Amino acid sequence: MATSCAHYFLETIRAAERCGVDSVALMEHVDLRREDVMDPHWRGRSELLAMMVRRVWTITNDEFMGFMERPAKFGTFAMMCECIIGEPSLEAAFAKGIHFYNLFTDDISMRLDLGEENVVFHVVFRRPELDGEHYFLEFWFSIWYRLIGWLGGITAPLLLVTFPYPRPDEYAEEFKYMFPCEHKFNASRATMVFDRRHLGSPIVRAKEELALFLSVAPLGFMSTPRDVINYTRKVRSYLLRDRAFSLQFPELDKVARHFNMGAQTLRRKLKFESTSYRAIIENIRRDIAIEKLLNGSTSVSSISDLLGYSETRAFTRAFREWTKMSPLEYRRHFQGQSGGIALVSAVKSPGPSQNNTCPGGNDENEERARARIQARGRKADDPT
């Protein structure tokens, strides 16, 4: 299950308050406690963040959430998607979507610079002071990046993202997952650089699929949609295929053979999706480690074994890189504070519930989301 850092939850709450939304009721809507989101080390499910954003959209009737001088009525983004889904290529859809918003508002100015190999997406906010913490710029980038990936049926390969502000050390680690590419801060402008070959690909989605995608928005912008068929998702599912034993992370050669290809071919496909075999493994390890620490009394050494580390201190070093805390510090700090639902749930291979979870609160789906991985077994060698 995808997770988001406390920063994005807190900034969503602050935006809601500026728009006159009752933040206490908003947090109650998704079973959150303010003391959790105020802690910079806390993480929550991306589903809950999506539910909060959608709630703000509907209450304020403003998809810009007060970050622009004039609002965008709820449904504006959906209308744009309806306009672009029939285009012959991702590049054409991208350009038409930008044209739609440039006609709709002067508060956001966008353009595409087309090069022989790359396409540069430029974004300028007319009043950037309304987005002092850069929350909405990062959200806006994420919207377009995920939309292009969804339309093409594969995670769009990003080459570079530039930000016109200093590196936000508090949550900069999050960018590795939001925008898997090189990041440049203190840049002169806000841009995303795409591989033009990819943007020449056709749209693979139908209008019928668009209705489902929009019905759970903005969930699709906060995590890779479950039904995007790509090798990142396939490899992740393969590694998590059997949850009843210690996680085994085989050599890349073995994984590649499972998909009837060579290791170099699979490595190239993952690179095209802006990731790597190592990155997939570390993403799995991080989320399972947090789930195990917060939902039980499993020892740190046992969690290390479960995740396939050859020694506990290697796991502890990795965990500090993810959270800035040791595993025991993290457990003492968070265990028992929020009763489960607001905390990270188990990592699992994609299941049918994610796309069926409507950000309005569905008890059955939320119960399924709480299901944990039951794992036990022996230590696995760390892959090279």
Side-chain angles (χ1 to χ4, degrees):
M1 181 64 65
T3 62
S4 297
C5 68
H7 168 78
Y8 292 111
F9 282 88
L10 183 58
E11 290 305 315
T12 301
I13 293 167
R14 288 172 173 166
E17 290 173 337
R18 288 193 296 268
C19 292
V21 176
D22 183 344
S23 60
V24 174
L26 179 64
M27 287 184 284
E28 288 177 351
H29 178 67
V30 294
D31 198 15
L32 283 183
R33 302 194 326 165
R34 194 179 190 98
E35 51 263 45
D36 291 331
V37 297
M38 290 296 293
D39 191 310
H41 301 294
W42 177 85
R43 300 188 67 84
R45 296 204 332 258
S46 296
E47 278 183 80
L48 303 182
L49 181 58
M51 290 169 64
M52 290 178 66
V53 171
R54 190 176 180 92
R55 188 75 165 178
V56 175
W57 284 357
T58 56
I59 293 174
T60 64
N61 195 26
D62 181 11
E63 292 179 356
F64 289 161
M65 300 171 65
F67 288 103
M68 300 296 140
E69 193 169 4
R70 287 170 289 275
K73 291 183 179 180
F74 187 41
T76 301
F77 180 80
M79 179 59 69
M80 183 274 293
C81 290
E82 292 280 356
C83 291
I84 70 174
I85 196 165
E87 292 298 305
S89 70
L90 297 177
E91 185 178 302
F94 206 167
K96 191 170 185 177
I98 289 171
H99 184 55
F100 177 97
Y101 273 101
N102 285 344
L103 289 173
F104 167 75
T105 181
D106 292 328
D107 288 342
I108 303 178
S109 176
M110 297 183 287
R111 78 173 194 267
L112 287 183
D113 285 350
L114 306 179
E116 290 187 7
E117 297 183 353
N118 301 334
V119 173
V120 183
F121 174 42
H122 296 259
V123 175
V124 177
F125 288 176
R126 191 169 71 87
R127 293 193 58 189
E129 70 273 14
L130 296 178
D131 185 30
E133 297 299 321
H134 318 297
Y135 165 93
F136 197 73
L137 176 61
E138 292 159 12
F139 183 59
W140 194 245
F141 268 169
S142 183
I143 283 176
W144 287 95
Y145 173 51
R146 299 298 187 188
L147 175 62
I148 294 302
W150 181 82
L151 289 171
I154 185 172
T155 302
L158 270 179
L159 305 178
L160 173 69
V161 181
T162 67
F163 304 92
Y165 48 86
R167 183 180 187 272
D169 292 334
E170 178 185 348
Y171 62 96
E173 188 74 7
E174 205 78 0
F175 286 2
K176 292 197 315 186
Y177 307 100
M178 293 173 61
F179 311 113
C181 64
E182 180 184 353
H183 309 130
K184 181 180 179 182
F185 296 95
N186 288 315
S188 60
R189 62 199 68 185
T191 66
M192 303 177 78
V193 182
F194 293 84
D195 184 330
R196 190 169 187 183
R197 292 172 301 175
H198 176 73
L199 293 187
S201 303
I203 290 175
V204 301
R205 301 294 183 174
K207 283 192 174 183
E208 294 74 18
E209 293 176 280
L210 179 61
L212 177 60
F213 179 71
L214 294 173
S215 72
V216 296
L219 179 60
F221 312 137
M222 297 175 178
S223 60
T224 303
R226 147 188 113 70
D227 58 340
V228 171
I229 305 302
N230 59 22
Y231 280 95
T232 303
R233 185 64 54 172
K234 288 179 179 179
V235 169
R236 183 183 176 95
S237 297
Y238 174 73
L239 294 176
L240 290 169
R241 66 197 183 281
D242 187 346
R243 305 173 197 171
F245 69 112
S246 179
L247 286 174
Q248 303 289 327
F249 294 116
E251 298 291 337
L252 182 62
D253 287 345
K254 181 177 180 180
V255 178
R257 286 196 299 272
H258 175 78
F259 296 111
N260 299 312
M261 64 182 69
Q264 190 62 30
T265 300
L266 180 56
R267 186 178 291 111
R268 187 170 62 249
K269 288 180 180 293
L270 293 177
K271 183 178 180 180
F272 186 72
E273 295 172 11
S274 302
T275 189
S276 66
Y277 184 50
R278 169 64 58 194
I280 294 170
I281 289 174
E282 290 307 299
N283 201 3
I284 290 172
R285 282 171 161 168
R286 185 195 69 176
D287 283 357
I288 292 183
I290 291 174
E291 189 274 334
K292 289 296 179 185
L293 287 167
L294 296 180
N295 293 279
S297 58
T298 309
S299 69
V300 172
S301 61
S302 295
I303 295 173
S304 174
D305 290 347
L306 165 66
L307 298 180
Y309 285 95
S310 58
E311 55 183 18
T312 303
R313 62 182 178 181
F315 164 59
T316 301
R317 277 197 307 270
F319 197 85
R320 281 190 181 277
E321 290 180 5
W322 301 328
T323 68
K324 313 303 181 194
M325 293 183 181
S326 73
L328 288 179
E329 288 171 340
Y330 196 92
R331 169 174 276 165
R332 284 195 296 266
H333 192 75
F334 288 113
Q335 192 172 46
Q337 287 188 13
S338 295
I341 185 170
L343 299 174
V344 58
S345 70
V347 174
K348 54 187 178 181
S349 57
S353 64
Q354 181 169 335
N355 263 2
N356 294 332
T357 304
C358 178
N362 182 306
D363 291 341
E364 181 180 352
N365 287 332
E366 287 183 356
E367 286 299 324
R368 285 203 297 267
R370 296 182 198 184
R372 302 176 183 173
I373 299 173
Q374 300 301 316
R376 60 182 181 274
R378 62 186 184 280
K379 182 181 297 184
D381 291 332
D382 198 30
T384 58

